């Protein structure tokens, strides 16, 4: 397993290199068929993805350059990508259908025109891979590879925020009529591997929607064109792309992606895996200045992003003395629920060594933990974080400390 793990990392590194070229806006090749079907998305042309290595579940990963944009909306062309197949499906929106079946009164099949005729919503939400920021990515050897982008991009760039538009699950399920035993949904994508994930019915009816729009355009192909599930605040894999089937069932199914690929054993539950991780907890990080950049002497605006899967961010604090004291950052509005929230803080660097970081609080009062607090909750012994092969932990939301050295260079101080 360990060797497979490192093969996988190697592979992720290689595929990520591709993402940086795309992120820089390099137009490679002529217009694709998909782009003709999605005429507004012409800026996304890029080199076709390459196939993965023998031992890996085919994976295509691109990281969002969090350090490079302002505000909270991630330009669609640099939205992160986490795709469990060797290529992106080429779906014709004219023939694509979404079926709803299982424990319903009337199984239904919707064309894209049907979906666009129905009542719609547009909401700003983050999507974040469950593996984002995980301990293994805090590895200087990895981000010395310039192709991966800045450390903040490589470590934390599997999170992006868009304004998504589409039809609420409640509208669609109401059309189909739910049987009284209905309690879970199984969502299946139309990509090669038929990526499949379960979703509790209560969450689906609460605030989930089938999205066809991303920042006013059609979904980008990498984000699930022509439609994807949008499950606000919950981990990435719930947001099934290329959505094709919704099966209504009466129990949680353990789909392959959940039980094999996305489970991590945990000490605190006797080395068993917790199969269902749901909502992202409160999280924030300083995106500028951050590791790999040069700290200017004198005035510098510290800025970054904060978010929570439970709702709105209410407070962000900054420490520039390694967590001894905290001062409140300014939050830029409007503040959206379950979305990246921009914060800023005025600082003047005096040329001395310093460790600076952000700590967010959300509207439920949840405060972002330190890595020590996280380790305590998850029963990961502190010395394990120092090992070369760090504990595999997903759902990682620890406070991110950056350290500035006397020469102005900045490094990742999460595990030092
Ligand atoms: N059909 C399909 N849906 C999918 C995936 C996939 O590989 N295929 N990857 C999932 C995972 S693991 C994540 S983190 C998010 C990533 O969404 P993005 O690629 O739009 O950023 O999509 C989820 N939905
Ligand atoms: Mo993911």
């Amino acid at each position: 397993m360990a060797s497979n793990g490192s093969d996988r990392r190697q592979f992720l590194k290689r595929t990520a290199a591709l993402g940086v070229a795309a992120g820089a806006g390099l137009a490679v090749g002529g217009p694709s068929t998909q782009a003709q079907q999605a005429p507004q998305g012409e800026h996304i042309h890029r080199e076709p993805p390459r196939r993965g290595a023998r031992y890996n579940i085919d994976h295509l990963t691109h990281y969002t350059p969090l350090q490079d944009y302002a505000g909270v909306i991630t330009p669609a062309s640099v939205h992160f990508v986490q795709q469990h197949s060797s290529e992106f499906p080429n779906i014709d929106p004219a023939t694509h259908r979404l079926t709803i079946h299982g424990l319903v009164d009337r199984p239904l099949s919707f064309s894209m025109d049907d979906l666009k005729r129905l009542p719609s919503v547009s909401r700003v939400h983050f999507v974040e891979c469950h593996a984002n920021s995980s301990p293994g990515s805090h590895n200087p050897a990895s981000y010395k590879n310039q192709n991966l982008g800045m450390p903040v991009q490589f470590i934390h760039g599997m999170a992006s925020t868009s304004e998504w538009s589409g039809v609420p699950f409640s509208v669609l399920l109401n059309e189909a009529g739910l049987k009284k035993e209905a309690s879970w949904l199984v969502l299946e994508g139309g990509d090669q591997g038929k990526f499949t994930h379960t979703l509790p019915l209560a969450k689906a009816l609460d605030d989930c929607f089938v999205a066809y729009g991303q920042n006013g355009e059609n979904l980008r192909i990498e984000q699930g064109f022509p439609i994807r599930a949008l499950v606000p605040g919950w981990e990435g894999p719930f947001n099934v792309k290329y959505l094709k089937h919704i099966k209504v069932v009466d129990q949680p199914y353990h789909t392959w992606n959940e039980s094999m690929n996305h489970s991590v054993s945990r000490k605190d539950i006797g080395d068993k895996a917790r199969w269902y991780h749901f909502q992202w907890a409160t999280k924030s990080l300083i995106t500028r200045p951050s590791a790999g950049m040069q700290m200017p002497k004198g005035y510098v605006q510290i800025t970054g992003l904060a978010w929570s899967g439970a709702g709105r961010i209410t407070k962000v604090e900054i420490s520039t003395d390694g967590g001894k004291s905290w001062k409140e950052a300014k939050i830029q509005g409007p503040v959206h629920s379950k979305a990246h929230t921009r914060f800023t803080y005025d600082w003047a660097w005096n040329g001395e060594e310093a460790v600076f970081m952000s700590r967010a609080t959300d509207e439920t009062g949840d405060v972002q933990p330190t890595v020590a607090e996280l380790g305590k909750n998850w029963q990961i012994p502190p010395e394990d974080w120092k090992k070369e092969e760090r504990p595999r932990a997903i759902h990682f939301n620890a406070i991110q400390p950056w350290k500035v050295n006397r020469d102005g260079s900045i490094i990742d101080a999460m595990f030092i």
Side-chain angles (χ1 to χ4, degrees), residues 65-381:
L66 295 169
Q67 70 282 357
D68 285 340
Y69 63 90
V72 297
I73 301 293
T74 310
S77 56
V78 294
H79 192 288
F80 86 95
V81 179
Q82 188 59 250
Q83 180 62 27
H84 297 73
S85 55
S86 52
E87 54 202 29
F88 297 104
N90 180 4
I91 294 174
D92 180 357
T95 55
H96 187 71
R97 300 194 79 90
L98 171 64
T99 62
I100 302 186
H101 61 118
L103 297 171
V104 292
D105 298 330
R106 296 168 294 278
L108 290 175
S109 162
F110 297 88
S111 68
M112 288 304 297
D113 283 345
D114 295 336
L115 290 174
K116 288 188 174 168
R117 194 172 58 119
L118 291 171
S120 66
V121 293
S122 288
R123 295 193 190 125
V124 177
H125 290 304
F126 72 84
V127 173
E128 179 173 17
C129 179
H130 56 300
N132 195 34
S133 322
S134 63
S137 62
H138 291 260
N139 178 4
S142 319
Y143 50 72
K144 275 200 182 106
N145 176 350
Q146 291 294 309
N147 290 329
L148 295 175
M150 306 295 293
V152 66
Q153 169 174 358
F154 175 63
I155 300 170
H156 302 290
M158 286 200 284
S160 309
T161 285
S162 308
E163 185 193 65
W164 305 99
S165 305
V167 186
F169 269 74
S170 56
V171 170
L172 299 170
L173 293 170
N174 189 43
E175 289 289 309
L178 290 165
K179 295 223 189 284
K180 70 172 189 321
E181 319 83 83
S183 58
W184 284 77
L185 307 179
V186 181
L187 312 181
E188 187 185 294
D191 40 355
Q192 287 164 322
K194 297 190 174 160
F195 187 92
T196 306
H197 208 286
T198 50
L199 176 64
L201 179 63
K203 172 67 175 172
L205 294 176
D206 177 25
D207 63 352
C208 299
F209 51 104
V210 173
Y212 46 71
Q214 177 180 7
N215 301 338
E217 302 179 286
N218 290 334
L219 287 191
R220 189 170 70 132
I221 291 159
E222 291 85 336
Q223 260 64 69
F225 180 79
I227 44 172
R228 80 177 305 164
L230 218 287
V231 179
W234 286 23
E235 293 194 331
F238 284 91
N239 299 265
V240 175
K241 304 188 279 188
Y242 319 105
L243 188 62
K244 202 169 173 186
H245 299 295
I246 299 175
K247 184 175 182 183
V248 183
V249 296
D250 60 359
Q251 57 186 297
Y253 281 27
H254 304 290
T255 74
W256 186 85
N257 288 98
E258 289 161 277
S259 57
M260 295 292 291
N261 193 17
H262 289 162
S263 58
V264 172
S265 65
R266 284 173 50 163
K267 285 258 179 307
D268 55 331
I269 47 175
D271 282 330
K272 287 188 181 142
R274 220 180 88 189
W275 279 12
Y276 293 97
H277 292 253
F278 293 151
Q279 189 172 288
W280 268 103
T282 309
K283 189 161 175 177
S284 73
L285 58 114
I286 293 169
T287 54
R288 286 188 82 86
S290 60
M293 296 180 197
Q294 183 70 21
M295 183 71 84
K297 260 216 178 135
Y299 175 79
V300 59
Q301 177 190 257
I302 290 178
T303 186
L305 297 166
W307 63 102
S308 160
R312 285 183 177 74
I313 289 296
T314 50
K315 185 160 76 171
V316 179
E317 296 155 290
I318 304 289
S319 174
T320 54
D321 58 8
K324 286 192 208 87
S325 66
W326 295 89
K327 286 195 183 119
E328 224 166 303
K330 275 181 236 155
I331 289 181
Q332 283 184 356
V335 177
H336 298 280
S337 180
K338 307 171 188 177
H340 279 160
T341 301
R342 173 72 54 181
F343 63 84
T344 63
Y345 181 79
D346 299 318
W347 195 44
W349 183 52
N350 61 9
E352 292 302 315
E353 262 184 25
V355 174
F356 58 104
M357 52 199 168
S358 63
R359 174 173 76 186
T361 304
D362 76 4
E363 63 180 303
T364 70
D366 187 42
V367 182
Q368 186 182 8
T370 60
V371 69
E373 288 163 345
L374 251 192
K376 213 167 154 197
N377 292 344
W378 292 350
Q379 294 189 16
I380 296 172

